[in-house]
Amino acid sequence: MDTQIGEVNLDWIPLSGFHLRKAGVQFDAVRIEGDAGRCVADLMEELTGGDPGSIVADAAGRRPVYFLVPPRSTSHRPWPELAVPFNSGPGKVSYVPVPALCGHTWPLSWRCVPSGPGRFVHTPLLNSVVWRLHEAGDSGDRWA
């Protein structure tokens, strides 16, 4: 059975629990841990009027946030060390945890649910925000 939001088919989202999905197929991802990830997510929501694209939050460990971006959009960009791109290419395979839209998915949850196929976080905007955070010293309270 396909997962749907309204009339939109998103078959890469599991029906229950969570699954690992290979980066570079339906999407790439950028992982940012802890408060820095949450700060970037907050700013992305603010900059996009509340619709930044698909964002997954993890409540365990270092509490990473995964920003799902279009496939093949992360590997040719420089990222500061606080951001870890997940993509696939020759000799490299990455997997991204993806929760179901409802039910028991702990420790994962949708910070921002997918609103349609191909509706992901805008990679250049995310890259710019992450570099700005990095230059501010990796602390969200220094944003000006």
Side-chain angles (χ1 to χ4, degrees):
M1 177 187 274
D2 293 332
T3 301
Q4 295 191 357
I5 298 175
E7 301 291 321
V8 177
N9 182 346
L10 298 169
D11 60 358
W12 50 270
I13 298 175
L15 294 174
S16 63
F18 59 88
H19 292 245
L20 294 178
R21 299 292 187 214
K22 183 179 176 184
V25 178
Q26 288 93 358
F27 54 82
D28 281 1
V30 175
R31 182 186 71 203
I32 304 173
E33 294 182 352
D35 292 338
R38 280 147 179 74
C39 180
V40 170
D42 289 344
L43 189 56
M44 291 296 293
E45 285 186 81
E46 181 181 322
L47 292 171
T48 60
D51 186 18
S54 304
I55 302 174
V56 174
D58 188 334
R62 296 180 182 209
R63 300 176 22 241
V65 177
Y66 296 87
F67 298 85
L68 306 187
V69 297
R72 296 167 298 286
S73 67
T74 60
S75 62
H76 63 281
R77 295 176 195 282
W79 294 92
E81 58 192 43
L82 70 105
V84 178
F86 283 60
N87 50 53
S88 295
K92 179 181 180 183
V93 177
S94 300
Y95 291 91
V96 180
V98 176
L101 293 173
C102 58
H104 181 69
T105 63
W106 193 89
L108 300 172
S109 63
W110 286 102
R111 165 85 184 237
C112 297
V113 297
S115 57
R119 178 66 182 105
F120 295 110
V121 173
H122 189 266
T123 310
L125 178 59
L126 176 63
N127 187 267
S128 176
V129 168
V130 173
W131 275 109
R132 185 172 172 199
L133 179 63
H134 173 75
E135 291 165 0
D138 299 347
S139 172
D141 36 290
R142 289 197 204 117
W143 287 81

